[in-house]
Every structure is written in C-alpha cells, then in structure tokens.
Amino acid sequence: AMLTEAQALKAKIDAATTREELKSVMTEVRKQWVALKQFLKEKRSDVYHGKARSLLTKAERVQTKLKQILERIRGGSDTDRPEIAAIASALQAIDAQVTVVKQALEQQDKTTVKDSLKKLHDLLKDAIKQFRRAGKGDAVATEVKVEDAPTSAVAEEVEA
C-alpha cells in the first residue's frame, strides 16, 4: 500500500508544472514519510520483542530440563549434600529472573529486557556450573547445550 502511494506521489511530482503544485505534492510526501517512519519503528519493535520472547522460551526450556535433572538427582542417595541445595537455590533464582523478564516484556522497555535477559543467561550458566561442582555435569551435558549469550542479537537491536 505504501509503495503504491509512493509511486502515485512520484507521478504527481512528474506531473507538477507550477511551484504551488510541487509544494502541495511535497507536503504529501512529507506526511507519507512520517507515516512510513512510524510504521517501521513499530515493526522493528515487534521484531525485537518477538526475538526476546523466543529467547525467554528457550531459557524456560533449559530451566525445565535442569529441574528434571535435579529431581532425578534428588531421587538418588546423595540428596543431603550441600551441592544439591546450591543447585536448588540457583534454580529458584532462575525462577525469579524469568518473572522479571516477563514483566520487562510487558512493559516493553528494551533496555530492561536486554539487561534482564543477560542476567537470566548468567543465572542459567551458574546453575550449570553448580551441577558440575556437584559432579553431575555429565547429566547436564547430555540434556543441555551451553551456548554464548543469547542476548547478543537483542543487544544489537537496542543499539540500532
């Protein structure tokens, strides 16, 4: 729709013969430009929040897998070890951060979303380290693939 409007305005510019006609057409061009900039801003925001939601979904999947592994470990004989308590507290911190990320997404504040996703990623890495300290790194390695910070794409969007 915007492309056809732009083409129509181009035809009007070509057809304009007087200075007044050209001024009138240029006013329309400016209005369309403002509308186009607003449209692109909204679309960029939609893409950004979609990407952030996707990252949150991935983090929640990893969190679920870590909880399942913890439950399997608790089912074993070494449930009283302090390392297991450290893992449980790390997973509780992840639960709290997931809530923070969801609230940031609802507020649609890009900086808060980026920062909260980075913190969530750090907490997930810390939880995996806790599993390794407890000697259960093999269980995590088969279930979870550790990647670089998933917020790099989101951070680039914020800076743009």
Side-chain angles (χ1 to χ4, degrees):
M2 289 191 171
L3 182 61
T4 56
E5 289 176 23
Q7 290 171 342
L9 287 172
K10 182 179 184 264
K12 285 183 181 181
I13 290 172
D14 292 339
T17 55
T18 65
R19 182 175 171 95
E20 288 76 28
E21 290 176 351
L22 194 55
K23 280 185 176 182
S24 171
V25 173
M26 289 310 294
T27 303
E28 292 178 43
V29 168
R30 284 186 198 97
K31 287 179 184 176
Q32 185 182 11
W33 178 245
V34 169
L36 178 64
K37 285 193 324 187
Q38 181 62 32
F39 173 77
L40 291 175
K41 184 178 179 181
E42 290 170 4
K43 288 300 174 188
R44 185 172 58 207
S45 178
D46 291 347
V47 168
Y48 173 82
H49 287 291
K51 194 176 286 189
R53 280 188 181 83
S54 172
L55 292 172
L56 177 62
T57 302
K58 288 179 183 178
E60 286 175 326
R61 271 191 245 125
V62 171
Q63 175 192 19
T64 302
K65 288 179 181 181
L66 293 176
K67 285 181 178 180
Q68 291 170 350
I69 294 168
L70 178 62
E71 291 306 315
R72 277 190 259 147
I73 292 171
R74 283 184 172 166
S77 61
D78 55 354
T79 59
D80 295 337
R81 293 178 39 200
E83 293 91 354
I84 304 301
I87 292 170
S89 67
L91 291 178
Q92 287 175 344
I94 291 170
D95 285 337
Q97 189 62 29
V98 165
T99 304
V100 169
V101 171
K102 287 179 180 178
Q103 290 172 348
L105 282 169
E106 287 175 12
Q107 295 171 355
Q108 297 190 351
D109 179 18
K110 287 183 178 183
T111 306
T112 307
V113 170
K114 180 182 106 175
D115 293 343
S116 58
L117 280 172
K118 280 187 175 186
K119 184 170 181 180
L120 177 60
H121 182 257
D122 292 342
L123 289 172
L124 286 168
K125 288 192 319 188
D126 183 55
I128 291 171
K129 286 178 186 175
Q130 294 292 338
F131 275 100
R132 288 187 181 136
R133 284 187 197 126
K136 303 299 180 184
D138 294 341
V140 174
T142 58
E143 295 286 329
V144 178
K145 179 183 172 195
V146 179
E147 300 175 359
D148 289 336
T151 57
S152 61
V154 174
E156 291 170 5
E157 287 288 323
V158 169
E159 294 168 0

Coordinates of all heavy atoms in Angstrom, one line a residue, residues 9-72:
L9 N 2.7 9.4 -5.8 CA 3.3 10.7 -5.5 C 4.4 11.0 -6.5 O 4.5 12.2 -6.9 CB 3.8 10.7 -4.0 CG 2.8 10.8 -2.9 CD1 3.5 10.6 -1.6 CD2 2.0 12.1 -3.0
K10 N 5.1 10.0 -6.9 CA 6.2 10.2 -7.9 C 5.5 10.7 -9.2 O 6.0 11.7 -9.8 CB 6.9 9.0 -8.2 CG 8.1 9.1 -9.2 CD 8.8 7.8 -9.3 CE 10.0 8.0 -10.3 NZ 9.7 7.6 -11.6
A11 N 4.4 10.1 -9.6 CA 3.7 10.6 -10.8 C 3.2 12.0 -10.6 O 3.3 12.8 -11.6 CB 2.6 9.6 -11.1
K12 N 2.7 12.3 -9.4 CA 2.3 13.7 -9.2 C 3.4 14.7 -9.3 O 3.3 15.8 -9.8 CB 1.6 13.8 -7.8 CG 0.2 13.2 -7.7 CD -0.3 13.5 -6.3 CE -1.7 12.9 -6.2 NZ -2.3 13.1 -4.8
I13 N 4.6 14.3 -8.8 CA 5.8 15.2 -8.9 C 6.1 15.4 -10.3 O 6.4 16.5 -10.8 CB 7.0 14.6 -8.1 CG1 6.7 14.7 -6.6 CG2 8.3 15.3 -8.4 CD1 7.7 13.9 -5.7
D14 N 6.1 14.3 -11.1 CA 6.4 14.4 -12.5 C 5.4 15.3 -13.3 O 5.8 16.0 -14.2 CB 6.5 13.1 -13.2 CG 7.7 12.3 -12.7 OD1 8.7 12.9 -12.2 OD2 7.7 11.0 -12.8
A15 N 4.2 15.2 -12.8 CA 3.1 16.0 -13.5 C 3.0 17.4 -13.0 O 2.4 18.3 -13.7 CB 1.8 15.3 -13.3
A16 N 3.6 17.8 -11.9 CA 3.5 19.1 -11.4 C 4.2 20.1 -12.3 O 5.3 19.9 -12.8 CB 4.1 19.2 -10.0
T17 N 3.5 21.2 -12.6 CA 4.0 22.2 -13.6 C 4.4 23.5 -12.9 O 5.2 24.2 -13.4 CB 3.1 22.4 -14.8 OG1 1.8 22.8 -14.2 CG2 2.9 21.2 -15.6
T18 N 3.7 23.8 -11.8 CA 3.9 25.1 -11.1 C 4.5 24.8 -9.8 O 4.5 23.7 -9.2 CB 2.6 25.8 -10.9 OG1 1.8 25.1 -10.0 CG2 1.9 26.1 -12.3
R19 N 5.1 25.9 -9.2 CA 5.7 25.8 -7.9 C 4.7 25.4 -6.8 O 5.0 24.6 -5.9 CB 6.3 27.2 -7.6 CG 7.1 27.2 -6.3 CD 7.8 28.6 -6.2 NE 8.3 28.7 -4.9 CZ 9.6 28.5 -4.5 NH1 10.4 28.0 -5.4 NH2 10.0 28.7 -3.3
E20 N 3.5 25.9 -6.9 CA 2.4 25.7 -5.9 C 2.0 24.2 -6.0 O 1.8 23.6 -4.9 CB 1.2 26.5 -6.1 CG 1.4 28.0 -5.8 CD 2.3 28.8 -6.8 OE1 2.2 28.4 -8.0 OE2 2.9 29.7 -6.4
E21 N 1.9 23.6 -7.1 CA 1.6 22.2 -7.3 C 2.7 21.3 -6.6 O 2.4 20.4 -6.0 CB 1.4 21.8 -8.7 CG 0.2 22.4 -9.4 CD 0.1 22.1 -10.9 OE1 1.1 21.5 -11.4 OE2 -1.0 22.3 -11.4
L22 N 3.9 21.7 -6.9 CA 5.1 21.0 -6.4 C 5.1 21.1 -4.9 O 5.4 20.1 -4.2 CB 6.4 21.5 -7.0 CG 7.6 20.6 -6.8 CD1 7.4 19.2 -7.3 CD2 8.8 21.3 -7.4
K23 N 4.8 22.2 -4.3 CA 4.8 22.4 -2.8 C 3.7 21.5 -2.2 O 3.9 20.9 -1.2 CB 4.5 23.8 -2.4 CG 5.7 24.7 -2.5 CD 5.3 26.1 -2.0 CE 6.5 27.0 -1.9 NZ 6.1 28.3 -1.4
S24 N 2.5 21.5 -2.9 CA 1.4 20.6 -2.4 C 1.8 19.1 -2.4 O 1.6 18.4 -1.4 CB 0.2 20.8 -3.3 OG -0.8 19.9 -3.0
V25 N 2.5 18.7 -3.5 CA 2.9 17.3 -3.5 C 3.9 17.0 -2.5 O 3.9 16.0 -1.9 CB 3.4 17.0 -5.0 CG1 4.0 15.6 -5.0 CG2 2.3 17.1 -6.0
M26 N 4.9 17.9 -2.3 CA 5.9 17.7 -1.3 C 5.4 17.6 0.1 O 5.9 16.9 0.9 CB 7.0 18.8 -1.4 CG 7.8 18.7 -2.7 SD 8.5 17.1 -3.0 CE 9.6 16.9 -1.6
T27 N 4.3 18.4 0.4 CA 3.6 18.3 1.7 C 3.1 16.8 1.9 O 3.2 16.2 2.9 CB 2.5 19.3 1.8 OG1 3.0 20.6 1.6 CG2 1.8 19.2 3.1
E28 N 2.5 16.3 0.8 CA 2.0 14.9 0.9 C 3.2 13.9 1.1 O 3.0 12.9 1.8 CB 1.2 14.6 -0.4 CG -0.1 15.3 -0.6 CD -0.8 15.0 -1.9 OE1 -0.8 13.7 -2.2 OE2 -1.3 15.9 -2.5
V29 N 4.3 14.2 0.4 CA 5.4 13.3 0.5 C 5.9 13.3 2.0 O 6.3 12.2 2.5 CB 6.6 13.7 -0.5 CG1 7.9 13.0 -0.1 CG2 6.2 13.5 -1.9
R30 N 6.0 14.5 2.6 CA 6.5 14.6 4.0 C 5.5 13.8 4.9 O 6.0 13.1 5.8 CB 6.6 16.0 4.4 CG 7.8 16.7 3.8 CD 8.0 18.1 4.4 NE 8.9 18.9 3.6 CZ 8.5 19.7 2.6 NH1 7.2 20.0 2.4 NH2 9.4 20.3 1.9
K31 N 4.2 13.9 4.7 CA 3.3 13.2 5.5 C 3.4 11.7 5.4 O 3.4 11.0 6.4 CB 1.8 13.6 5.1 CG 1.4 15.0 5.6 CD 0.0 15.3 5.2 CE -0.4 16.7 5.5 NZ -1.7 17.1 5.0
Q32 N 3.6 11.3 4.1 CA 3.8 9.8 3.9 C 5.2 9.4 4.6 O 5.2 8.3 5.1 CB 3.8 9.5 2.4 CG 3.9 8.0 2.2 CD 3.9 7.6 0.8 OE1 4.1 8.4 -0.1 NE2 3.8 6.3 0.6
W33 N 6.2 10.2 4.5 CA 7.5 9.8 5.1 C 7.3 9.7 6.6 O 7.9 8.7 7.2 CB 8.5 10.9 4.8 CG 9.8 10.6 5.4 CD1 10.5 11.3 6.3 CD2 10.7 9.5 5.1 NE1 11.7 10.8 6.7 CE2 11.8 9.6 5.9 CE3 10.6 8.4 4.3 CZ2 12.9 8.7 5.9 CZ3 11.7 7.5 4.3 CH2 12.8 7.6 5.1
V34 N 6.6 10.6 7.3 CA 6.4 10.5 8.7 C 5.6 9.2 9.0 O 6.0 8.5 10.0 CB 5.7 11.7 9.2 CG1 5.2 11.5 10.6 CG2 6.5 12.9 9.1
A35 N 4.6 8.9 8.2 CA 3.8 7.7 8.5 C 4.7 6.4 8.3 O 4.6 5.5 9.1 CB 2.6 7.6 7.6
L36 N 5.6 6.5 7.3 CA 6.4 5.3 7.0 C 7.4 5.1 8.1 O 7.7 4.0 8.6 CB 7.2 5.5 5.7 CG 8.1 4.4 5.3 CD1 7.4 3.1 5.0 CD2 8.9 4.8 4.0
K37 N 8.0 6.2 8.6 CA 9.0 6.1 9.7 C 8.3 5.5 11.0 O 8.9 4.6 11.6 CB 9.6 7.4 10.1 CG 10.6 7.9 9.1 CD 11.5 9.1 9.5 CE 10.8 10.1 10.3 NZ 11.6 11.3 10.6
Q38 N 7.1 5.9 11.3 CA 6.3 5.4 12.4 C 6.0 3.9 12.2 O 6.2 3.1 13.1 CB 5.1 6.2 12.6 CG 4.3 5.7 13.8 CD 5.0 5.9 15.1 OE1 5.8 6.8 15.3 NE2 4.8 5.0 16.1
F39 N 5.6 3.5 11.0 CA 5.3 2.1 10.7 C 6.6 1.3 10.9 O 6.5 0.2 11.5 CB 4.8 2.0 9.2 CG 4.6 0.6 8.8 CD1 3.5 -0.1 9.1 CD2 5.6 0.0 7.9 CE1 3.4 -1.4 8.7 CE2 5.4 -1.2 7.5 CZ 4.3 -2.0 7.8
L40 N 7.7 1.7 10.4 CA 9.0 0.9 10.5 C 9.4 0.8 12.0 O 9.9 -0.2 12.4 CB 10.1 1.6 9.7 CG 9.8 1.4 8.2 CD1 10.9 2.2 7.4 CD2 9.8 0.0 7.7
K41 N 9.2 1.9 12.7 CA 9.5 1.9 14.2 C 8.7 0.8 14.9 O 9.2 0.0 15.7 CB 9.3 3.2 14.8 CG 9.7 3.4 16.2 CD 9.5 4.8 16.7 CE 9.9 4.9 18.1 NZ 9.7 6.3 18.7
E42 N 7.4 0.8 14.6 CA 6.5 -0.2 15.2 C 7.0 -1.7 14.8 O 7.0 -2.6 15.7 CB 5.1 0.0 14.8 CG 4.5 1.3 15.5 CD 3.2 1.7 14.9 OE1 2.6 0.9 14.0 OE2 2.6 2.7 15.2
K43 N 7.3 -1.9 13.6 CA 7.7 -3.2 13.1 C 9.0 -3.6 13.7 O 9.1 -4.8 14.1 CB 7.8 -3.2 11.6 CG 6.4 -3.2 10.9 CD 5.6 -4.3 11.3 CE 4.2 -4.3 10.8 NZ 3.3 -5.3 11.3
R44 N 9.9 -2.7 13.9 CA 11.2 -3.0 14.5 C 11.0 -3.4 15.9 O 11.6 -4.4 16.4 CB 12.2 -1.8 14.4 CG 13.5 -2.2 14.9 CD 14.5 -1.1 14.6 NE 14.1 0.2 15.2 CZ 14.4 1.4 14.8 NH1 15.2 1.5 13.7 NH2 14.0 2.4 15.4
S45 N 10.1 -2.7 16.6 CA 9.8 -3.1 18.0 C 9.1 -4.4 18.1 O 9.5 -5.2 19.0 CB 8.9 -2.0 18.6 OG 8.5 -2.3 19.9
D46 N 8.2 -4.7 17.2 CA 7.6 -6.1 17.2 C 8.6 -7.2 17.0 O 8.6 -8.2 17.6 CB 6.5 -6.1 16.0 CG 5.3 -5.3 16.3 OD1 5.2 -4.8 17.5 OD2 4.5 -5.0 15.4
V47 N 9.5 -7.0 16.0 CA 10.6 -8.0 15.8 C 11.5 -8.1 17.0 O 11.8 -9.3 17.4 CB 11.4 -7.6 14.6 CG1 12.7 -8.4 14.4 CG2 10.6 -7.7 13.3
Y48 N 11.8 -7.0 17.6 CA 12.7 -7.1 18.8 C 12.0 -7.9 19.9 O 12.6 -8.8 20.5 CB 13.0 -5.7 19.3 CG 13.7 -5.6 20.6 CD1 15.1 -5.8 20.7 CD2 13.0 -5.4 21.8 CE1 15.7 -5.7 21.9 CE2 13.7 -5.4 23.0 CZ 15.0 -5.6 23.0 OH 15.7 -5.5 24.2
H49 N 10.7 -7.6 20.2 CA 10.1 -8.3 21.3 C 9.8 -9.7 21.0 O 9.8 -10.6 21.8 CB 8.8 -7.5 21.7 CG 9.1 -6.3 22.4 ND1 9.6 -6.2 23.7 CD2 9.0 -5.0 22.0 CE1 9.8 -5.0 24.1 NE2 9.4 -4.2 23.1
G50 N 9.6 -10.0 19.7 CA 9.4 -11.4 19.3 C 10.7 -12.2 19.5 O 10.6 -13.3 20.0
K51 N 11.8 -11.6 19.2 CA 13.1 -12.3 19.4 C 13.3 -12.5 20.9 O 13.8 -13.5 21.3 CB 14.2 -11.4 18.8 CG 15.5 -12.1 18.6 CD 16.5 -11.3 17.9 CE 16.2 -11.2 16.5 NZ 17.3 -10.5 15.7
A52 N 13.0 -11.5 21.7 CA 13.2 -11.6 23.1 C 12.3 -12.7 23.7 O 12.7 -13.4 24.6 CB 12.9 -10.2 23.8
R53 N 11.1 -12.7 23.2 CA 10.2 -13.8 23.7 C 10.7 -15.2 23.3 O 10.6 -16.1 24.1 CB 8.8 -13.6 23.1 CG 8.0 -12.6 23.9 CD 6.5 -12.5 23.4 NE 5.8 -11.5 24.1 CZ 5.8 -10.2 23.8 NH1 6.5 -9.8 22.8 NH2 5.1 -9.3 24.5
S54 N 11.3 -15.3 22.1 CA 11.9 -16.5 21.7 C 13.0 -16.9 22.6 O 13.1 -18.1 23.0 CB 12.3 -16.4 20.3 OG 13.1 -17.5 19.9
L55 N 13.9 -16.0 23.0 CA 15.0 -16.3 23.9 C 14.4 -16.7 25.3 O 15.0 -17.6 25.9 CB 15.9 -15.1 24.0 CG 16.7 -14.7 22.8 CD1 17.4 -13.4 23.0 CD2 17.6 -15.8 22.4
L56 N 13.4 -16.1 25.7 CA 12.8 -16.4 27.0 C 12.2 -17.9 27.0 O 12.4 -18.6 27.9 CB 11.7 -15.4 27.4 CG 10.9 -15.8 28.7 CD1 11.9 -15.8 29.9 CD2 9.8 -14.8 28.9
T57 N 11.6 -18.2 25.9 CA 11.1 -19.6 25.7 C 12.2 -20.6 25.8 O 12.1 -21.6 26.4 CB 10.3 -19.7 24.4 OG1 9.3 -18.7 24.4 CG2 9.7 -21.1 24.2
K58 N 13.3 -20.3 25.1 CA 14.4 -21.2 25.1 C 15.0 -21.4 26.5 O 15.3 -22.5 27.0 CB 15.5 -20.7 24.2 CG 15.2 -20.9 22.7 CD 16.3 -20.4 21.8 CE 16.0 -20.4 20.4 NZ 17.1 -19.9 19.5
A59 N 15.1 -20.2 27.2 CA 15.6 -20.3 28.6 C 14.7 -21.1 29.5 O 15.1 -21.8 30.4 CB 15.8 -18.9 29.1
E60 N 13.4 -20.9 29.3 CA 12.4 -21.7 30.1 C 12.6 -23.2 29.8 O 12.4 -24.0 30.7 CB 11.0 -21.2 29.8 CG 10.7 -19.9 30.4 CD 9.3 -19.3 30.1 OE1 8.9 -19.6 28.9 OE2 8.7 -18.6 30.9
R61 N 12.8 -23.6 28.6 CA 13.0 -25.0 28.3 C 14.3 -25.5 29.0 O 14.2 -26.6 29.5 CB 13.2 -25.2 26.7 CG 11.9 -25.4 26.1 CD 12.0 -25.9 24.6 NE 11.5 -24.8 23.8 CZ 12.1 -24.2 22.8 NH1 13.3 -24.6 22.5 NH2 11.5 -23.3 22.1
V62 N 15.4 -24.8 29.0 CA 16.6 -25.2 29.7 C 16.3 -25.3 31.1 O 16.7 -26.2 31.8 CB 17.7 -24.2 29.4 CG1 18.9 -24.5 30.3 CG2 18.1 -24.2 27.9
Q63 N 15.6 -24.3 31.7 CA 15.2 -24.3 33.1 C 14.4 -25.6 33.4 O 14.7 -26.3 34.5 CB 14.4 -23.1 33.4 CG 13.9 -23.1 34.8 CD 12.8 -22.0 35.1 OE1 12.2 -21.5 34.1 NE2 12.6 -21.6 36.3
T64 N 13.5 -26.0 32.6 CA 12.7 -27.2 32.9 C 13.6 -28.4 32.9 O 13.4 -29.3 33.7 CB 11.6 -27.3 31.8 OG1 10.8 -26.1 31.8 CG2 10.7 -28.5 32.0
K65 N 14.5 -28.5 31.9 CA 15.4 -29.6 31.8 C 16.3 -29.7 33.1 O 16.5 -30.8 33.6 CB 16.3 -29.6 30.6 CG 15.5 -29.8 29.3 CD 16.4 -29.8 28.1 CE 15.6 -30.0 26.9 NZ 16.5 -30.0 25.7
L66 N 16.8 -28.5 33.5 CA 17.6 -28.5 34.8 C 16.8 -29.0 36.0 O 17.3 -29.7 36.8 CB 18.2 -27.1 35.0 CG 19.2 -26.6 34.0 CD1 19.6 -25.2 34.3 CD2 20.4 -27.6 33.9
K67 N 15.5 -28.6 36.1 CA 14.7 -29.0 37.2 C 14.5 -30.5 37.1 O 14.5 -31.2 38.2 CB 13.3 -28.3 37.1 CG 13.4 -26.9 37.6 CD 12.0 -26.2 37.6 CE 12.0 -24.8 38.1 NZ 10.7 -24.2 38.0
Q68 N 14.3 -31.1 35.9 CA 14.1 -32.5 35.8 C 15.4 -33.3 36.2 O 15.3 -34.3 36.9 CB 13.7 -32.9 34.4 CG 12.4 -32.4 33.9 CD 12.1 -32.5 32.4 OE1 13.1 -32.8 31.7 NE2 10.9 -32.3 32.0
I69 N 16.5 -32.7 35.8 CA 17.8 -33.4 36.3 C 17.9 -33.3 37.8 O 18.3 -34.3 38.4 CB 19.0 -32.7 35.6 CG1 18.9 -32.9 34.0 CG2 20.3 -33.2 36.1 CD1 19.9 -32.1 33.2
L70 N 17.6 -32.2 38.4 CA 17.6 -32.0 39.8 C 16.7 -33.1 40.5 O 17.1 -33.7 41.5 CB 17.3 -30.6 40.3 CG 17.3 -30.4 41.8 CD1 18.7 -30.6 42.4 CD2 16.8 -29.0 42.1
E71 N 15.5 -33.2 40.0 CA 14.6 -34.2 40.6 C 15.2 -35.6 40.5 O 15.0 -36.4 41.4 CB 13.2 -34.1 39.9 CG 12.5 -32.9 40.3 CD 12.4 -32.6 41.8 OE1 12.0 -33.6 42.5 OE2 12.6 -31.5 42.2
R72 N 15.8 -35.9 39.3 CA 16.5 -37.3 39.2 C 17.6 -37.4 40.2 O 17.8 -38.5 40.8 CB 17.0 -37.5 37.8 CG 16.0 -37.9 36.8 CD 16.6 -38.3 35.5 NE 16.3 -37.2 34.6 CZ 17.1 -36.8 33.6 NH1 18.2 -37.4 33.4 NH2 16.8 -35.8 32.9

